[in-house]
Amino acid sequence: MIDRLINGLFRVYILLAILFILMPILTLVVFSFNINRHPRLPWSEFSFIWYEAMWNDPAMQSGFVNSLIVAACVAVIATFIGFCTAYLDYRFRFRGKIAILAIFFMPPTIPIVILGMVFLVYLAKIGLFGELYSVVIGHVAYCAPFAMALVRMRLAQMDENLEAAAWNLGASEWTTIREIIIPFTRPAIIAALFLTMAVSFDEYMIAWFVSGLNETLPARILAVLQGQVTPQINAVGSVVFVISISLVLVAQFVLLVRRPQGSR
Amino acid sequence: MTMTTDPFLVLDDISKSFGTVEAVRHVSMEIEAGEFVALMGPSGCGKTTTLRMIAGLEAPSAGEIRLDGVRMNEVKPWRRDTPLVWQSFALFPFMTVFKNVEFGLRMRKIDKATRRRKTMDWLERLGIGDLSQRDTNKLSGGQQQRVALARALVAEPRVLLLDEPFSALDAHLRVQMQSELARLHRQLGITFLFVTHAQSEALAMASRVAVMNEGRIVQIGAPLAVYRAPTSRFVAEFVGMNNILTGPVTRLNGNEALVQTDFGPLCAPLPPTHRVAPGERISVVIGADRIALSDDDVQSTENVVKGTVLGQEFVGAMITVFLELAPGVEFRIQKQQHELQGLDLTIGSTLTAWWTTEHAYVLPQTDED
Amino acid sequence: MSIQSEARGPPSGSRGPYWFGLFWPAPSVSWQMAFFVAPLCLLVAITFWKVANFQLSADFTTANWVSMYSAGYFWDAFLYTLFLAAVTTVLISIIAFPCAYALAFKVSPATRRLGVFFLLTPFFTSFIVRVYSWQVILSNDGILNSGFGAVGLGPFNMLNNSFSTIVGFFTLAFPLVILLHLLSLSNVDRSIIEAAHNLRCGRVMTVFLIIVPAARVGLTLAACFAFLLSFGEYLSPSLLGGSRPPTLSVLLVDTVKSGNHWPKASVIAITMIVTLTLILFAAVKFAYHKSPGADRD
């Protein structure tokens, strides 16, 4: 009896925690369809006007396209660097490896407000400030560790003799990368592409500092939030949320739900 | 010239160290084409490292490996024809059975039709032709073993390396695969080099056995010779179920020596290889299966020991009886079950064990510890 | 840098450079050198530069350090940031633990997977949007207060103070901390918990005497993350906290954007990085330090 009560209380506690996590998102989505200028209870009337306003706002349009371009470039570069570093760690042992990996994993542990400023100063100094590729440069170092971690975890599941078995059957080291390592880590590579894309698509601080006039969507949102807030921000936020959660869901699906072959 | 008389595979004084650990020390061995050689020893003795060096997966720190008279040390693994059957099988999990077996042919740039024919040939030959489109992780252990064998043999190598290939199989399958492997060796006539820690596998299949310990080959020879005539205490204890008694020689009698042990005098045939002088300590090996048991006193003064029963162990119809001769000194006797009928085998009862002189064997070295 | 001793692999016997081995570190090392290490070095260098007529020029002056470290508002911001981060860390750790405990021990594996999904996903999604949403929820004419108003309460002032800032920090760090707690709790050997129950250690006692010490490393690590994330966070103190009083991150952004004084901003940035490094180092040292009882057995 007491046990059941305690278990019930624990369940309520979990639900409250999840409610806290979901509340801002639910609020946002719900009020993006509310016709009232000020989001407050009671709910007034269902409408798409804020979505229409967003659709017709040229700054939002270009921000959206910019974000997509940046996210795609970041995903490819960061996943490539992450893959190489994961294989480096898996396969080789050499002096200085710890140092390389420590520096590699540092960017996500530095507050992004500092990263944003660091990139602003550096890119301005070397004349690469204010373009879309400035944002890409700023995001890659930040995203690559996530890609590396995913690929490295997948490699850890591999039979340690698999590579040697391929060499033993006549595949050179390069061929083995193509024939064995890439096929084996494919789910992790795909997940890494989507996850880094999501992280880049969401990132507001570095983008806000270095994008100059070529604002990405989150940078645009931040600029709006610091000035005159319009209710269409709800609609924009909902769209951003739906896109980034879709990317993360695809990454999780590839990694977890579609059971990867050959897991030990 | 040595080039023409060089055996098929030569390990010439090879050593391998990993950091400060010497895994293989000065191993020399010559293997003729078509031999079935077993490398055996306890885990960590360097047998797998030796095999990996032949496959090119480790580089020898010193010495030379020659295949057909050609130095192999610098040849990359993918440029050798030394396929290996792995302990874990190491099948490629994202490929079908067919793709796995075909892999070696594809790497050799063989045309598609030939690849297909040879792959199917080998799958049929190993009785897994109907599994060709299956995923490897849906196969049983025995089926995976066959895929691993087909994958290694499909490119028609002249040597096949096997690294404890049966350790992942259950006892029943192991026997079946052993006979299959022996059949393959007879049919193909190529060299098999087989690594195992199980002496039964080595003795059952190999034409020659090399026993390794602490990185060295301690004895090499025909299975029965190694089994019956171990040259060291280590081999005697590792290869078979042997009892070893040690003591000084008291008297020489023709080609027999009388040895005084703590458990009574015993008699042993003199080894042909070295001379024994009275007073010298020698070790005498008596195979557990060569000993008779009785609960009466035995009318003999030599080759008899008395002990109390410590326990027994059953393996099929065989029983191993453990006698304690003195605190801490164990003596093992292996018998068929029916041979022990009428004996009191309860723990603590006293039994007498005896054997005939011809079944005793003197170790060439007395490496007591 | 040479890559000679491989962890697993064929011998690099042949002469000439080992191109295959040299390839793999190349992408990360070159990218990190150009676009991470070099910027960080510039950040350090720039603190010694001077600004004259809104122009930055190379110099070696300690003026930026001196003026920043002698400014009262800088130390106020520093202490306020430390205070907020510390309070958040403690609160998150306390509130997250029962949730992780329940997920680890009180629910079915399926529920646990679902919970992990809800915790992991938000970490990668739209933080800025969620912070804005809290503004909508907490503001004086916002959703919560209009709800309270309907039953005749309030309005309560929930925005532009430390409370709303901490709510923002929670939005960022809370799911991650639960996840890390859950991870370290699932690594606790179940049999020692049963052994404790078997020795008549009650439920609550078992949590504090057995489970928390056994999961200490993971719990400390989670606290580190909570501290790290809230110490440098910018959106919560500016959008929810109203920037008054400013935290270091708010000060940093203001110094860059309004003040246009990069050297002084760099001084703030380096102070933040050094502070974080010292605190996290001390925490990790504490986590891996042997507990006094462990020496005896």
Side-chain angles (χ1 to χ4, degrees):
Chain A
M1 184 56 208
I2 290 284
D3 273 8
R4 288 185 58 179
L5 185 69
I6 289 174
N7 281 353
L9 284 176
F10 270 123
R11 271 161 205 281
V12 170
Y13 195 89
I14 294 175
L15 281 179
L16 283 176
I18 288 176
L19 186 69
F20 172 82
I21 291 164
L22 293 184
M23 181 134 103
I25 289 164
L26 291 176
T27 309
L28 184 85
V29 175
V30 166
F31 281 92
S32 70
F33 295 107
N34 187 1
I35 197 164
N36 199 325
R37 273 200 80 79
H38 297 286
R40 67 173 66 155
L41 290 174
W43 163 278
S44 41
E45 193 185 327
F46 185 87
S47 156
F48 278 114
I49 58 164
W50 305 121
Y51 285 90
E52 280 165 31
M54 169 190 74
W55 187 251
N56 295 321
D57 182 342
M60 289 297 172
Q61 281 171 5
S62 67
F64 184 73
V65 173
N66 287 344
S67 277
L68 281 185
I69 295 171
V70 169
C73 294
V74 169
V76 171
I77 302 173
T79 303
F80 172 72
I81 295 177
F83 175 82
C84 291
T85 312
Y87 184 73
L88 177 78
D89 179 41
Y90 168 76
R91 168 75 192 279
F92 299 101
R93 200 163 45 209
F94 56 93
R95 228 178 305 141
K97 183 166 114 172
I98 301 286
I100 287 182
L101 291 181
I103 293 175
F104 185 77
F105 276 104
M106 235 167 99
T109 65
I110 293 180
I112 44 173
V113 63
I114 295 179
L115 281 183
M117 181 219 153
V118 167
F119 282 117
L120 165 69
V121 172
Y122 182 71
L123 294 176
K125 210 69 209 155
I126 63 172
L128 295 178
F129 168 81
E131 300 292 337
L132 280 188
Y133 58 71
S134 319
V135 186
V136 174
I137 289 173
H139 282 180
V140 166
Y142 182 73
C143 292
F146 295 104
M148 187 280 187
L150 287 175
V151 176
R152 186 66 187 84
M153 283 193 294
R154 180 70 180 144
L155 281 173
Q157 296 172 349
M158 192 168 84
D159 179 341
E160 58 175 352
N161 290 320
L162 222 54
E163 262 199 304
W167 302 331
N168 181 254
L169 293 168
S172 72
E173 284 171 299
W174 291 110
T175 312
T176 303
I177 296 294
R178 192 187 69 219
E179 294 281 341
I180 305 299
I181 302 295
I182 291 178
F184 189 86
T185 52
R186 181 163 292 137
I189 292 173
I190 296 172
L193 280 171
F194 280 98
L195 191 71
T196 49
M197 204 185 286
V199 172
S200 166
F201 190 84
D202 262 0
E203 203 289 320
Y204 50 89
M205 206 74 216
I206 299 171
W208 184 58
F209 268 110
V210 303
S211 62
L213 297 174
N214 293 295
E215 282 176 325
T216 61
L217 201 51
R220 178 80 220 124
I221 295 175
L222 182 52
V224 169
L225 291 183
Q226 287 178 326
Q228 189 57 46
V229 181
T230 70
Q232 83 180 53
I233 268 308
N234 281 332
V236 180
S238 301
V239 169
V240 170
F241 169 75
V242 167
I243 291 176
S244 55
I245 199 160
S246 308
L247 293 171
V248 175
L249 286 182
V250 170
Q252 292 197 353
F253 177 78
V254 172
L255 263 191
L256 303 171
V257 182
R258 205 191 68 181
R259 202 182 122 66
Q261 293 170 323
S263 301
R264 282 185 304 166
Chain B
M1 271 300 290
T2 48
M3 283 303 278
T4 49
T5 56
D6 215 11
F8 175 61
L9 175 61
V10 178
L11 310 184
D12 190 353
D13 198 28
I14 55 171
S15 299
K16 174 71 187 178
S17 40
F18 298 102
T20 57
V21 183
E22 283 186 272
V24 174
R25 312 175 192 198
H26 304 289
V27 162
S28 289
M29 194 172 172
E30 297 183 344
I31 297 171
E32 299 291 346
E35 270 196 281
F36 194 145
V37 177
L39 268 180
M40 62 188 289
S43 57
C45 72
K47 55 191 194 304
T48 296
T49 307
T50 306
L51 199 74
R52 289 175 65 90
M53 283 194 281
I54 296 170
L57 300 169
E58 311 283 356
S61 314
E64 190 173 79
I65 297 173
R66 290 192 296 276
L67 198 69
D68 263 343
V70 179
R71 177 181 160 96
M72 297 300 281
N73 291 37
E74 286 77 26
V75 179
K76 296 284 192 184
W78 47 91
R79 303 244 175 264
R80 304 183 186 204
D81 272 315
T82 50
L84 207 157
V85 176
W86 305 78
Q87 186 170 7
S88 62
F89 307 140
L91 300 180
F92 305 131
F94 41 83
M95 296 185 192
T96 60
V97 168
F98 183 89
K99 294 263 182 205
N100 262 279
V101 175
E102 187 198 24
F103 189 83
L105 298 174
R106 205 150 55 78
M107 293 302 114
R108 284 171 180 73
K109 310 259 189 299
I110 289 169
D111 69 272
K112 197 169 177 182
T114 317
R115 279 190 337 237
R116 185 167 175 81
R117 183 172 49 77
K118 288 193 170 179
T119 303
M120 285 317 293
D121 270 2
W122 270 101
L123 289 176
E124 297 294 349
R125 192 164 181 173
L126 287 166
I128 46 174
D130 49 336
L131 302 178
S132 67
Q133 294 311 315
R134 290 273 196 93
D135 280 341
T136 53
N137 51 5
K138 298 201 179 75
L139 302 181
S140 69
Q143 288 166 336
Q144 291 189 11
Q145 174 80 81
R146 284 163 207 270
V147 177
L149 270 172
R151 187 177 70 171
L153 288 167
V154 73
E156 290 158 14
R158 294 171 60 201
V159 58
L160 179 68
L161 309 176
L162 302 107
D163 184 12
E164 308 222 9
F166 302 146
S167 58
L169 305 180
D170 60 43
H172 169 72
L173 257 174
R174 204 174 300 169
V175 175
Q176 199 182 328
M177 288 309 298
Q178 273 178 29
S179 71
E180 181 120 9
L181 201 62
R183 179 177 64 82
L184 271 174
H185 180 250
R186 271 198 314 277
Q187 289 174 352
L188 297 170
I190 63 171
T191 308
F192 278 28
L193 186 57
F194 182 95
V195 156
T196 181
H197 67 268
Q199 41 119 346
S200 65
E201 283 178 5
L203 299 177
M205 294 183 293
S207 53
R208 214 145 55 99
V209 172
V211 184
M212 290 188 72
N213 185 33
E214 293 175 346
R216 295 174 203 281
I217 292 186
V218 288
Q219 189 171 358
I220 184 163
L224 208 63
V226 172
Y227 185 67
R228 285 300 174 207
T231 54
S232 62
R233 192 184 188 95
F234 170 80
V235 177
E237 283 173 344
F238 183 77
V239 166
M241 193 178 278
N242 286 310
N243 298 292
I244 302 170
L245 295 173
T246 299
V249 176
T250 50
R251 191 154 52 82
L252 293 178
N253 183 8
N255 50 2
E256 290 181 359
L258 202 68
V259 186
Q260 186 58 46
T261 73
D262 294 349
F263 315 101
L266 54 88
C267 207
L270 282 173
T273 45
H274 79 289
R275 305 175 66 82
V276 173
E280 187 184 338
R281 287 180 71 84
I282 60 174
S283 293
V284 178
V285 178
I286 311 108
D289 54 342
R290 300 280 173 108
I291 300 167
L293 265 185
S294 127
D295 45 9
D296 297 331
D297 277 344
V298 174
Q299 297 303 316
S300 168
T301 50
E302 291 149 7
N303 300 341
V304 176
V305 292
K306 268 194 162 178
T308 54
V309 175
L310 273 177
Q312 40 187 322
E313 219 172 64
F314 295 79
V315 179
M318 297 294 284
I319 294 186
T320 306
V321 179
F322 294 84
L323 286 189
E324 187 171 50
L325 304 186
V329 182
E330 225 177 68
F331 204 75
R332 295 176 294 182
I333 300 105
Q334 205 169 40
K335 288 275 129 197
Q336 294 281 337
Q337 205 162 2
H338 64 84
E339 293 175 293
L340 292 172
Q341 270 163 8
L343 284 180
D344 178 15
L345 292 176
T346 51
I347 292 171
S349 65
T350 305
L351 288 179
T352 307
W354 86 94
W355 60 93
T356 56
T357 300
E358 70 209 57
H359 287 145
Y361 170 79
V362 177
L363 282 181
Q365 321 118 355
T366 307
D367 41 4
E368 281 180 284
D369 36 5
Chain C
M1 182 190 55
S2 67
I3 295 194
Q4 269 143 8
S5 53
E6 290 101 299
R8 52 197 103 180
S12 49
S14 50
R15 289 149 294 270
Y18 179 39
W19 293 116
F20 181 81
L22 289 173
F23 171 78
W24 297 100
S28 67
V29 169
S30 54
W31 187 279
Q32 296 269 324
M33 280 298 154
F35 296 123
F36 183 63
V37 176
L40 278 187
C41 292
L42 181 65
L43 182 80
V44 176
I46 218 173
T47 59
F48 300 104
W49 292 11
K50 66 171 184 228
V51 178
N53 302 327
F54 300 104
Q55 285 295 308
L56 192 63
S57 59
D59 196 356
F60 192 82
T61 169
T62 52
N64 303 309
W65 290 91
V66 172
S67 81
M68 211 65 218
Y69 277 21
S70 56
Y73 67 90
F74 172 77
W75 293 111
D76 289 345
F78 185 82
L79 289 178
Y80 182 59
T81 311
L82 270 185
F83 165 77
L84 277 185
V87 169
T88 308
T89 304
V90 172
L91 284 180
I92 286 193
S93 296
I94 292 172
I95 297 175
F97 185 80
C99 191
Y101 177 82
L103 280 173
F105 298 114
K106 299 288 177 192
V107 299
S108 66
T111 316
R112 192 175 311 134
R113 270 197 298 275
L114 193 69
V116 168
F117 168 80
F118 275 116
L119 297 171
L120 189 60
T121 311
F123 189 69
F124 295 104
T125 40
S126 314
F127 178 61
I128 185 169
V129 171
R130 285 182 288 140
V131 166
Y132 163 70
S133 193
W134 278 117
Q135 218 177 8
V136 170
I137 297 170
L138 298 177
S139 73
N140 275 348
D141 54 354
I143 290 156
L144 274 185
N145 271 326
S146 49
F148 286 134
V151 293
L153 287 170
F156 298 102
N157 187 15
M158 291 183 286
L159 202 60
N160 297 329
N161 52 26
S162 309
F163 167 76
S164 51
T165 308
I166 290 175
V167 167
F169 291 162
F170 262 68
T171 308
L172 184 64
F174 185 57
L176 186 72
V177 170
I178 302 180
L179 211 58
L180 290 173
H181 279 189
L182 178 59
L183 214 64
S184 46
L185 285 182
S186 37
N187 285 335
V188 174
D189 186 354
R190 296 293 167 110
S191 59
I192 66 167
I193 298 168
E194 281 162 14
H197 288 315
N198 185 251
L199 296 168
R200 294 182 160 242
C201 186
R203 246 191 292 261
V204 181
M205 290 286 274
T206 305
V207 170
F208 288 105
L209 292 181
I210 308 294
I211 298 177
V212 170
R216 187 177 62 168
V217 173
L219 300 184
T220 314
L221 227 57
C224 284
F225 269 97
F227 190 87
L228 183 89
L229 290 173
S230 39
F231 187 81
E233 219 284 292
Y234 168 73
L235 291 183
S236 311
S238 69
L239 295 182
L240 297 176
S243 298
R244 269 180 311 251
T247 62
L248 284 179
S249 55
V250 171
L251 203 58
L252 174 73
V253 171
D254 285 352
T255 313
V256 175
K257 288 270 174 177
S258 334
N260 217 353
H261 202 299
W262 293 356
K264 281 187 181 172
S266 303
V267 169
I268 301 174
I270 288 170
T271 307
M272 287 172 79
I273 292 178
V274 170
T275 308
L276 274 178
T277 310
L278 289 178
I279 287 176
L280 295 189
F281 189 75
V284 169
K285 223 161 158 150
F286 163 77
Y288 285 98
H289 183 265
K290 260 201 265 171
S291 59
D295 297 328
R296 266 171 265 143
D297 45 42

